[in-house]
Amino acid sequence: MKDESPAGLRIGVLTISDAGARGERADTSGDRILAWIEQHGFTLATRKLVPDETVEIVRALLEGADDEECDVLLTTGGTGLSSRDITPEATRTVLDREAPGIAEALRAAALARLPRAALSRGLAGVRGKTLIVNLPGSPGGVADGLAVLEQWIVHAVQLIRGEPTDH
């Protein structure tokens, strides 16, 4: 049986980057998420880096969610406006239910400091018992998103698990 405490949250990291998958760019955004996981005492369940290819993204999301290895699966990258940015579309195909308020909160929190945050198309939602959240591909965008998520990520996972909460 998995640890049910907040520190027992199992978080997966999925970096979507063509250059990263080719070994041409360091995964600094994934590293930022990993540091956040360690800082909060969460457990790294899986970490993968895939190119901006729908089949590869979907496969990695399904592995993390359907095998129930992750309570939360955080993606980084592929949420912008370029033709290769397909993370939201790939994510949408695997979600059982979208959670638009999460994506809206992530964008809203960054807007005052970085107006370009409005260009992010990231999604969030639930597949099975896994919360999936698309974060931007930049380390700064990841840091902004994690600062929002840490305010209620444990509560969100408790709701998804069907655990009693104080709400």
Side-chain angles (χ1 to χ4, degrees):
M1 175 171 234
K2 67 183 177 210
D3 184 350
E4 299 293 331
S5 69
L9 286 185
R10 300 165 303 148
I11 300 181
V13 179
L14 175 60
T15 302
I16 294 99
S17 169
D18 286 332
R22 290 190 304 264
E24 299 171 359
R25 180 181 302 155
D27 183 12
T28 55
S29 296
D31 292 343
R32 178 70 61 103
I33 298 170
L34 180 59
W36 179 82
I37 291 169
E38 292 171 353
Q39 173 189 355
H40 290 283
F42 300 141
T43 300
L44 176 65
T46 183
R47 183 174 180 183
K48 296 180 181 172
L49 193 151
V50 299
D52 293 271
E53 297 291 341
T54 301
V55 171
E56 301 234 16
I57 297 167
V58 167
R59 180 181 300 127
L61 291 171
L62 292 175
E63 287 172 0
D66 291 354
D67 293 347
E68 295 188 14
E69 69 179 348
C70 301
D71 298 306
V72 178
L73 189 48
L74 300 175
T75 73
T76 177
T79 61
L81 297 176
S82 85
S83 62
R84 295 292 294 160
D85 290 332
I86 58 170
T87 301
E89 290 76 17
T91 300
R92 183 171 279 122
T93 68
V94 305
L95 293 178
D96 295 329
R97 297 182 320 269
E98 286 192 36
I102 294 172
E104 292 164 7
L106 295 175
R107 281 186 283 276
L111 274 174
R113 188 182 59 74
L114 183 66
R116 291 182 298 178
L119 302 178
S120 176
R121 302 178 313 108
L123 296 177
V126 177
R127 178 175 179 90
K129 298 280 186 188
T130 302
L131 175 65
I132 299 173
V133 180
N134 298 154
L135 296 172
S138 70
V142 165
D144 289 344
L146 294 173
V148 173
L149 290 176
E150 70 187 22
Q151 298 175 57
W152 42 257
I153 194 166
V154 171
H155 185 73
V157 169
Q158 290 170 330
L159 292 170
I160 293 166
R161 289 178 179 171
E163 295 176 359
T165 65
D166 61 358
H167 82 294

